[in-house]
Amino acid sequence: MTSEKINIAIVDDHTLFRQGLAKLLSESNEVNVLFDADNGADMIKKLCDNQLPEVILMDITMPVMDGYETTRWLKENYPDINVLALSMFEEDKPIIGMLKSGAGGYMLKQSRTGDLISAIKGIAKHSFYINELVSGKLLRNIQNNQPVKTAAIELNKNEQKFLELCCSDYTYKQIADMMNLSPHTIDNYREALFQKFDVKSRTGLVISALKSELIKL
């Protein structure tokens, strides 16, 4: 039994890249490209004329309506559509900017087709996709002692500290040592936060904390 293809759209102002990527992904038998657009304004028009995609691959730097503005518009108008940002650049600012705009993940355009398909499948299933690139950016920002802001979800000081450390590559045992707490206590914090954020994994916790602005980057 074959699984259904994931319906996607591609928004990128480079025509050759956009059309070439569409062809590669369509040949995978796992992805169905509904349409492509050369900027956010073009995408909005085409959303009205096509079936809604599950995932949109979003370029960042585009004329007329860039990736940040387009992603924010999507999250306001079509919150169920997942956005996977695509860029040539590894700098902190575009990665964090796209995540804060509502993107659920970030991939480099230089990535292999197989890795991109895995990311599409991951974000379609879980609404987020964290790879080593994104984790590294989050880690550096957290280690720079950026302030933590509490939003609708209230956390005590130890939960806030645990949440910050979860956004790093430390193991739970290392986090317990750093906080001078027992592994059992750390397990309790983890389960409590999973329930508060309604997630089942550490990566889900990181993305939820970022989107909720409990971690200010």
CSV table of all heavy atoms in Angstrom, one decimal, residues 99 103-105 122 126-132 134-135 138 163 166-169 172 190 194 197-211 215:
chain,number,residue,atom,x,y,z
A,99,LEU,N,11.7,31.6,11.6
A,99,LEU,CA,11.0,30.8,12.7
A,99,LEU,C,10.1,31.7,13.5
A,99,LEU,O,9.0,31.3,13.8
A,99,LEU,CB,12.1,30.2,13.6
A,99,LEU,CG,13.0,29.1,13.0
A,99,LEU,CD1,14.0,28.7,14.1
A,99,LEU,CD2,12.1,27.9,12.6
A,103,ALA,N,7.5,30.0,10.4
A,103,ALA,CA,8.0,28.8,9.7
A,103,ALA,C,8.3,27.7,10.7
A,103,ALA,O,8.7,28.0,11.8
A,103,ALA,CB,9.3,29.2,8.9
A,104,GLY,N,8.1,26.5,10.3
A,104,GLY,CA,8.3,25.4,11.2
A,104,GLY,C,9.7,24.7,11.0
A,104,GLY,O,10.0,23.8,11.7
A,105,GLY,N,10.5,25.2,10.1
A,105,GLY,CA,11.8,24.6,9.8
A,105,GLY,C,12.6,25.5,8.8
A,105,GLY,O,12.0,26.4,8.2
A,122,GLY,N,8.6,15.4,7.5
A,122,GLY,CA,8.6,15.7,8.9
A,122,GLY,C,7.8,16.9,9.3
A,122,GLY,O,7.0,16.8,10.2
A,126,HIS,N,4.6,16.7,11.7
A,126,HIS,CA,4.7,17.3,13.1
A,126,HIS,C,4.5,18.8,13.2
A,126,HIS,O,4.5,19.4,14.2
A,126,HIS,CB,6.1,16.9,13.6
A,126,HIS,CG,6.3,15.4,13.7
A,126,HIS,ND1,5.7,14.6,14.5
A,126,HIS,CD2,7.2,14.7,13.0
A,126,HIS,CE1,6.1,13.4,14.3
A,126,HIS,NE2,7.0,13.4,13.4
A,127,SER,N,4.4,19.5,12.0
A,127,SER,CA,4.4,21.0,11.9
A,127,SER,C,5.7,21.7,12.2
A,127,SER,O,5.7,22.9,12.3
A,127,SER,CB,3.3,21.5,12.8
A,127,SER,OG,2.0,21.0,12.4
A,128,PHE,N,6.7,20.9,12.5
A,128,PHE,CA,8.0,21.5,12.6
A,128,PHE,C,9.1,20.5,12.2
A,128,PHE,O,8.9,19.3,12.1
A,128,PHE,CB,8.3,21.9,14.1
A,128,PHE,CG,8.1,20.8,15.1
A,128,PHE,CD1,9.2,19.8,15.3
A,128,PHE,CD2,7.0,20.6,15.8
A,128,PHE,CE1,9.0,18.8,16.2
A,128,PHE,CE2,6.8,19.5,16.7
A,128,PHE,CZ,7.9,18.6,16.9
A,129,TYR,N,10.3,21.1,11.9
A,129,TYR,CA,11.4,20.3,11.5
A,129,TYR,C,12.7,21.0,12.0
A,129,TYR,O,13.0,22.1,11.5
A,129,TYR,CB,11.5,20.1,10.0
A,129,TYR,CG,12.7,19.3,9.5
A,129,TYR,CD1,12.7,18.0,9.6
A,129,TYR,CD2,13.8,20.0,8.9
A,129,TYR,CE1,13.9,17.2,9.2
A,129,TYR,CE2,14.9,19.3,8.5
A,129,TYR,CZ,14.9,17.9,8.7
A,129,TYR,OH,16.0,17.2,8.3
A,130,ILE,N,13.4,20.3,12.9
A,130,ILE,CA,14.6,20.9,13.4
A,130,ILE,C,15.8,20.0,12.9
A,130,ILE,O,15.8,18.8,13.1
A,130,ILE,CB,14.6,21.0,14.9
A,130,ILE,CG1,13.6,22.0,15.4
A,130,ILE,CG2,16.0,21.4,15.4
A,130,ILE,CD1,13.6,22.2,16.9
A,131,ASN,N,16.7,20.6,12.3
A,131,ASN,CA,17.9,19.9,11.9
A,131,ASN,C,19.1,20.5,12.6
A,131,ASN,O,19.0,21.4,13.5
A,131,ASN,CB,18.1,20.0,10.3
A,131,ASN,CG,18.1,21.4,9.8
A,131,ASN,OD1,18.2,22.4,10.6
A,131,ASN,ND2,18.0,21.6,8.5
A,132,GLU,N,20.3,20.0,12.3
A,132,GLU,CA,21.5,20.5,13.0
A,132,GLU,C,21.7,22.0,12.8
A,132,GLU,O,22.2,22.7,13.7
A,132,GLU,CB,22.7,19.7,12.5
A,132,GLU,CG,22.7,18.3,12.9
A,132,GLU,CD,24.0,17.5,12.5
A,132,GLU,OE1,24.9,18.2,11.9
A,132,GLU,OE2,24.1,16.3,12.7
A,134,VAL,N,19.4,24.5,12.4
A,134,VAL,CA,18.5,25.2,13.2
A,134,VAL,C,18.9,25.1,14.7
A,134,VAL,O,18.9,26.0,15.5
A,134,VAL,CB,17.1,24.9,13.0
A,134,VAL,CG1,16.2,25.5,14.0
A,134,VAL,CG2,16.7,25.3,11.6
A,135,SER,N,19.2,23.8,15.1
A,135,SER,CA,19.6,23.6,16.5
A,135,SER,C,20.8,24.4,16.9
A,135,SER,O,20.9,24.9,18.0
A,135,SER,CB,19.8,22.1,16.7
A,135,SER,OG,18.7,21.4,16.5
A,138,LEU,N,19.8,28.1,17.4
A,138,LEU,CA,19.1,28.3,18.7
A,138,LEU,C,20.1,28.2,19.8
A,138,LEU,O,20.1,29.0,20.8
A,138,LEU,CB,18.1,27.2,18.8
A,138,LEU,CG,16.8,27.3,17.9
A,138,LEU,CD1,16.0,26.1,18.1
A,138,LEU,CD2,16.1,28.5,18.2
A,163,LEU,N,14.1,24.9,30.2
A,163,LEU,CA,13.6,25.1,28.9
A,163,LEU,C,14.8,25.7,28.0
A,163,LEU,O,15.0,25.3,26.9
A,163,LEU,CB,12.4,26.1,28.9
A,163,LEU,CG,11.7,26.3,27.5
A,163,LEU,CD1,11.2,25.1,26.9
A,163,LEU,CD2,10.6,27.3,27.7
A,166,CYS,N,17.2,23.0,27.2
A,166,CYS,CA,16.6,22.1,26.2
A,166,CYS,C,16.9,22.6,24.8
A,166,CYS,O,16.9,21.8,23.9
A,166,CYS,CB,15.1,21.9,26.4
A,166,CYS,SG,14.7,20.7,27.7
A,167,CYS,N,17.1,23.9,24.7
A,167,CYS,CA,17.4,24.4,23.3
A,167,CYS,C,18.9,24.3,23.0
A,167,CYS,O,19.3,25.0,22.1
A,167,CYS,CB,16.9,25.9,23.3
A,167,CYS,SG,15.2,26.1,23.5
A,168,SER,N,19.6,23.5,23.7
A,168,SER,CA,21.0,23.2,23.4
A,168,SER,C,21.1,21.8,23.0
A,168,SER,O,20.2,21.0,22.9
A,168,SER,CB,21.8,23.5,24.6
A,168,SER,OG,21.6,22.5,25.6
A,169,ASP,N,22.4,21.3,22.8
A,169,ASP,CA,22.6,19.9,22.5
A,169,ASP,C,23.0,19.1,23.8
A,169,ASP,O,23.5,18.0,23.7
A,169,ASP,CB,23.6,19.8,21.4
A,169,ASP,CG,25.0,20.5,21.8
A,169,ASP,OD1,25.1,21.1,22.8
A,169,ASP,OD2,25.9,20.4,20.9
A,172,TYR,N,19.9,15.2,28.8
A,172,TYR,CA,19.2,15.4,30.0
A,172,TYR,C,20.0,15.2,31.3
A,172,TYR,O,19.9,15.9,32.3
A,172,TYR,CB,18.0,14.5,30.1
A,172,TYR,CG,16.8,14.9,29.1
A,172,TYR,CD1,16.3,14.0,28.2
A,172,TYR,CD2,16.3,16.2,29.1
A,172,TYR,CE1,15.3,14.3,27.4
A,172,TYR,CE2,15.3,16.6,28.3
A,172,TYR,CZ,14.8,15.6,27.4
A,172,TYR,OH,13.8,16.0,26.5
A,190,ARG,N,10.6,17.8,32.5
A,190,ARG,CA,10.4,17.5,31.1
A,190,ARG,C,8.9,17.1,30.9
A,190,ARG,O,8.3,17.6,30.0
A,190,ARG,CB,11.3,16.3,30.7
A,190,ARG,CG,11.1,16.0,29.2
A,190,ARG,CD,11.9,14.7,28.9
A,190,ARG,NE,11.4,13.6,29.6
A,190,ARG,CZ,12.1,12.6,30.1
A,190,ARG,NH1,13.4,12.6,29.8
A,190,ARG,NH2,11.6,11.6,30.7
A,194,PHE,N,6.1,19.1,28.8
A,194,PHE,CA,5.4,18.4,27.6
A,194,PHE,C,3.9,18.6,27.8
A,194,PHE,O,3.2,18.9,26.8
A,194,PHE,CB,5.8,16.9,27.6
A,194,PHE,CG,7.1,16.6,27.0
A,194,PHE,CD1,8.0,17.5,26.6
A,194,PHE,CD2,7.5,15.2,27.0
A,194,PHE,CE1,9.2,17.2,26.0
A,194,PHE,CE2,8.7,14.9,26.4
A,194,PHE,CZ,9.6,15.9,25.9
A,197,PHE,N,2.9,22.4,27.1
A,197,PHE,CA,3.0,22.8,25.7
A,197,PHE,C,2.2,21.9,24.8
A,197,PHE,O,2.2,22.1,23.6
A,197,PHE,CB,4.5,22.9,25.3
A,197,PHE,CG,5.2,24.1,25.8
A,197,PHE,CD1,5.9,24.0,27.0
A,197,PHE,CD2,5.1,25.3,25.2
A,197,PHE,CE1,6.6,25.1,27.5
A,197,PHE,CE2,5.8,26.4,25.6
A,197,PHE,CZ,6.6,26.3,26.8
A,198,ASP,N,1.7,20.8,25.4
A,198,ASP,CA,1.0,19.8,24.6
A,198,ASP,C,1.9,19.2,23.5
A,198,ASP,O,1.5,19.2,22.3
A,198,ASP,CB,-0.3,20.4,24.0
A,198,ASP,CG,-1.2,19.3,23.5
A,198,ASP,OD1,-1.1,18.1,23.9
A,198,ASP,OD2,-2.1,19.6,22.6
A,199,VAL,N,3.1,18.8,23.8
A,199,VAL,CA,4.0,18.2,22.8
A,199,VAL,C,4.5,16.9,23.4
A,199,VAL,O,4.3,16.6,24.6
A,199,VAL,CB,5.2,19.1,22.5
A,199,VAL,CG1,4.7,20.4,21.9
A,199,VAL,CG2,6.0,19.5,23.8
A,200,LYS,N,5.1,16.1,22.5
A,200,LYS,CA,5.6,14.8,23.0
A,200,LYS,C,7.1,14.6,22.7
A,200,LYS,O,7.6,13.5,22.9
A,200,LYS,CB,4.8,13.7,22.2
A,200,LYS,CG,3.4,13.7,22.5
A,200,LYS,CD,2.6,12.6,21.8
A,200,LYS,CE,1.1,12.6,22.1
A,200,LYS,NZ,0.4,11.5,21.3
A,201,SER,N,7.8,15.7,22.3
A,201,SER,CA,9.2,15.5,22.0
A,201,SER,C,10.0,16.8,22.4
A,201,SER,O,9.4,17.9,22.5
A,201,SER,CB,9.5,15.2,20.6
A,201,SER,OG,9.2,16.3,19.8
A,202,ARG,N,11.3,16.7,22.6
A,202,ARG,CA,12.1,17.8,22.9
A,202,ARG,C,12.1,18.9,21.8
A,202,ARG,O,12.1,20.1,22.0
A,202,ARG,CB,13.5,17.3,23.2
A,202,ARG,CG,14.5,18.4,23.6
A,202,ARG,CD,15.8,17.8,24.1
A,202,ARG,NE,16.8,18.8,24.3
A,202,ARG,CZ,18.0,18.6,24.9
A,202,ARG,NH1,18.2,17.4,25.4
A,202,ARG,NH2,18.9,19.5,25.1
A,203,THR,N,12.1,18.4,20.5
A,203,THR,CA,12.1,19.3,19.4
A,203,THR,C,10.8,20.1,19.3
A,203,THR,O,10.8,21.3,19.1
A,203,THR,CB,12.4,18.6,18.1
A,203,THR,OG1,11.4,17.5,18.0
A,203,THR,CG2,13.8,18.1,18.0
A,204,GLY,N,9.7,19.4,19.6
A,204,GLY,CA,8.4,20.1,19.7
A,204,GLY,C,8.4,21.2,20.8
A,204,GLY,O,7.9,22.2,20.6
A,205,LEU,N,9.1,20.9,21.9
A,205,LEU,CA,9.1,21.8,23.0
A,205,LEU,C,9.9,23.0,22.6
A,205,LEU,O,9.5,24.2,22.9
A,205,LEU,CB,9.8,21.1,24.2
A,205,LEU,CG,9.9,21.9,25.5
A,205,LEU,CD1,8.5,22.1,26.0
A,205,LEU,CD2,10.7,21.1,26.5
A,206,VAL,N,11.0,22.9,21.9
A,206,VAL,CA,11.8,24.0,21.5
A,206,VAL,C,11.1,24.9,20.5
A,206,VAL,O,11.0,26.1,20.7
A,206,VAL,CB,13.1,23.5,20.8
A,206,VAL,CG1,13.9,24.7,20.1
A,206,VAL,CG2,14.0,22.8,21.8
A,207,ILE,N,10.4,24.3,19.5
A,207,ILE,CA,9.7,25.1,18.6
A,207,ILE,C,8.5,25.9,19.3
A,207,ILE,O,8.2,27.0,19.0
A,207,ILE,CB,9.1,24.3,17.4
A,207,ILE,CG1,10.3,23.9,16.5
A,207,ILE,CG2,8.0,25.0,16.6
A,207,ILE,CD1,10.9,25.1,15.7
A,208,SER,N,7.8,25.2,20.1
A,208,SER,CA,6.7,25.8,20.9
A,208,SER,C,7.1,26.9,21.7
A,208,SER,O,6.5,28.0,21.8
A,208,SER,CB,5.9,24.7,21.7
A,208,SER,OG,5.4,23.7,20.9
A,209,ALA,N,8.2,26.7,22.4
A,209,ALA,CA,8.8,27.8,23.3
A,209,ALA,C,9.2,29.0,22.5
A,209,ALA,O,8.9,30.2,22.9
A,209,ALA,CB,10.0,27.3,24.1
A,210,LEU,N,9.7,28.8,21.3
A,210,LEU,CA,10.2,29.9,20.4
A,210,LEU,C,8.9,30.6,19.9
A,210,LEU,O,8.9,31.9,19.9
A,210,LEU,CB,11.0,29.3,19.3
A,210,LEU,CG,11.5,30.4,18.3
A,210,LEU,CD1,12.5,31.3,18.9
A,210,LEU,CD2,12.2,29.7,17.1
A,211,LYS,N,7.9,29.9,19.4
A,211,LYS,CA,6.8,30.5,18.9
A,211,LYS,C,5.9,31.3,19.9
A,211,LYS,O,5.3,32.3,19.6
A,211,LYS,CB,5.9,29.5,18.1
A,211,LYS,CG,6.5,29.0,16.8
A,211,LYS,CD,5.6,28.0,16.1
A,211,LYS,CE,6.1,27.7,14.8
A,211,LYS,NZ,5.2,26.7,14.0
A,215,ILE,N,11.1,32.1,24.9
A,215,ILE,CA,12.5,32.4,24.7
A,215,ILE,C,12.6,33.5,23.7
A,215,ILE,O,12.2,33.4,22.6
A,215,ILE,CB,13.2,31.1,24.2
A,215,ILE,CG1,13.1,30.0,25.2
A,215,ILE,CG2,14.7,31.4,23.9
A,215,ILE,CD1,13.7,28.7,24.7
